[in-house]
Amino acid sequence: MLRKGLIVVMLLGTLLSACAPAASEDPTLKIAVLPILDALPMYVADAQGYYKDAGITVEFVPVASAAERDQLMQAGQVDGMINDLVSTVLYNKDAQKIAVVGFARIATPESAQYSVLAARDSGITKPADLKGVEIGISDGTVIAYTTDRLLEAEGLKPDDIKTTSIPKIPDRLQLLSEGQLKAANLPEPLASLAVQSGAVVIVDDRTHTEFGNSVISFSTAALNSKPDTVKKFMAALQKAVNDVNAEPVKWDTLLTDKQLVPAPLIGKYQLPKFPPASVPTEAQFKDVEAWMKDKGLLVTDVPYDKLVDTGYLPK
C-alpha cells in the first residue's frame, strides 16, 4: 500500500512539474555601441519607446573602439553589438561564439559606407593612380577588406595595392587632411567630413555595394537563453528603421547627443537609407573568407549556418 502511495505521489509530482510555467526569460539586453552612424536606429527605437512597448529593456554600453567592444563580448559583459563580416568570421573560426541576426547598414547606389579617398593636391584622381601608393587602413579588418576589393573591382591587381596600418580612424582622417597620407579608406560619415576638407573620393562601395555593410550580432549564450527577447529587439529596431527612413531630418538631436555624426556635418549630412530586415548572403561571407585566407587570417572556412541565423528577423 505504501509503495502504491509513493508511486501516486511521484506521478502527481511529475504532472505538476509538467504543468508549471516555464521560467521566464531575462528581458534585458546589453548592447555594445560605438559612436557610429550605424547605431542610430537602435537609439531611435529607445527614444520612440519601442523597447518598452515590447516589454524589454535595452542597456547601451558605449565603447570607444572595436577592440574594447570585442573585449566586452568575449568576457560575456554584453549580449550584442554592431560589427562586420570580417570580425564575425574571426570570432567563430575556432568555435561558434556569436551569430549575425541582421544587417545594421548596407552600402547602396545612393549612399556609400566605405570610401578610398585621396588627399587634396595629391594629384590622384582615379583608381589607377593608386598603383603603388600607400593607403592608410586598419590591418586585418573590414577596412582592409574593402580597400582590396574595391580597388580590385576597379582593375588593380593585388600586387598593385600598397597599404600602411593606421588603426585609429581619427588619425587616418587627420593625416589625410594634412597631406601626410596620400590616400586612406574611411567609413561614413568621416569620409564626407574628409571631402568637406578637400579630399577626393577615388572609389567607394556605391558602385560595389556587395562589399560594404555592417551587421548586428549576438552571443550564442544570449541567443540560447533569451531568444524571444532578441526577437522583440529586432522587431522594435525595424520599426525605428522605418521611422528614420521616413523622416531622415528628424534625428539631428540624437545624432549630436550620441556623437554619431561630426558637428560640422550636422544639418548638412544626408542620412543613408537603413536596410529592411535582412542578413548577409552566403556569397558575401565566402568572399570575406577567401580574402582572409589570402591574408593568412583564416585556415578553413566557417560554415555559413554557424555565422548567420535568420530566425530573429521580424516576420
Side-chain angles (χ1 to χ4, degrees):
M1 190 70 180
L2 180 60
R3 182 182 178 85
K4 288 183 179 179
L6 286 172
I7 291 173
V8 170
V9 170
M10 291 173 65
L11 286 172
L12 284 172
T14 302
L15 287 170
L16 289 172
S17 298
C19 294
S24 59
E25 285 185 15
D26 179 358
T28 302
L29 292 172
K30 293 184 178 181
I31 311 293
V33 283
L34 287 157
I36 54 176
L37 184 61
D38 312 42
L40 176 61
M42 291 188 180
Y43 289 121
V44 170
D46 187 42
Q48 298 287 81
Y50 294 150
Y51 301 137
K52 183 178 180 180
D53 292 345
I56 64 174
T57 300
V58 176
E59 298 178 9
F60 295 115
V61 181
V63 292
S65 67
E68 183 183 353
R69 174 202 67 196
D70 293 346
Q71 287 170 359
L72 290 176
M73 177 61 80
Q74 289 166 357
Q77 295 180 23
V78 294
D79 300 301
M81 62 182 174
I82 295 174
N83 65 314
D84 56 75
L85 303 190
V86 173
S87 63
T88 298
V89 174
L90 286 173
Y91 264 103
N92 290 339
K93 69 176 184 176
D94 297 319
Q96 186 177 9
K97 297 175 182 175
I98 65 172
V100 171
V101 297
F103 276 124
R105 268 200 64 199
I106 59 172
T108 70
E110 295 74 35
S111 300
Q113 188 157 3
Y114 299 101
S115 301
V116 178
L117 306 107
R120 180 181 54 199
D121 303 325
S122 67
I124 297 168
T125 60
K126 57 186 183 298
D129 296 338
L130 287 170
K131 181 178 180 179
V133 174
E134 285 196 340
I135 303 166
I137 64 161
S138 177
D139 274 337
T141 69
V142 67
I143 293 291
Y145 166 74
T146 52
T147 299
D148 286 349
R149 288 303 193 240
L150 289 173
L151 292 176
E152 288 166 3
E154 291 295 316
L156 270 68
K157 297 177 181 177
D159 289 345
D160 296 333
I161 302 169
K162 306 300 179 185
T163 60
T164 182
S165 183
I166 303 169
K168 295 182 179 179
I169 295 174
D171 293 347
R172 244 180 288 148
L173 174 61
Q174 182 176 352
L175 292 171
L176 184 73
S177 299
E178 294 173 351
Q180 296 184 51
L181 261 183
K182 286 189 174 182
N185 184 334
L186 293 172
E188 286 292 342
L190 290 181
S192 289
L193 185 62
V195 169
Q196 186 172 287
S197 300
V200 179
V201 175
I202 303 304
V203 60
D204 60 36
D205 47 19
R206 286 177 297 176
T207 50
H208 307 287
T209 56
E210 67 273 24
F211 301 130
N213 54 72
S214 58
V215 295
I216 301 165
S217 300
F218 280 89
S219 68
T220 52
L223 294 176
N224 289 334
S225 64
K226 299 186 269 192
D228 289 338
T229 304
V230 175
K231 287 178 182 177
K232 290 175 181 177
F233 170 83
M234 293 298 289
L237 185 62
Q238 189 56 50
K239 288 183 180 180
V241 165
N242 295 339
D243 289 349
V244 174
N245 289 343
E247 296 184 271
V249 299
K250 186 179 178 180
W251 315 104
D252 284 356
T253 299
L254 265 181
L255 292 171
T256 301
D257 290 348
K258 303 301 182 182
Q259 299 181 328
L260 307 183
V261 169
L265 293 179
I266 295 293
K268 303 174 185 176
Y269 184 71
Q270 183 175 349
L271 287 182
K273 290 285 186 182
F274 286 86
S278 54
V279 296
T281 65
E282 187 169 3
Q284 286 176 302
F285 264 110
K286 283 188 178 299
D287 187 67
V288 166
E289 289 177 329
W291 176 83
M292 292 176 71
K293 285 193 284 189
D294 286 344
K295 297 294 181 180
L297 299 171
L298 187 68
V299 177
T300 58
D301 289 350
V302 182
Y304 179 68
D305 61 2
K306 299 292 185 185
L307 298 168
V308 175
D309 193 330
T310 60
Y312 299 89
L313 294 176
K315 304 302 182 186

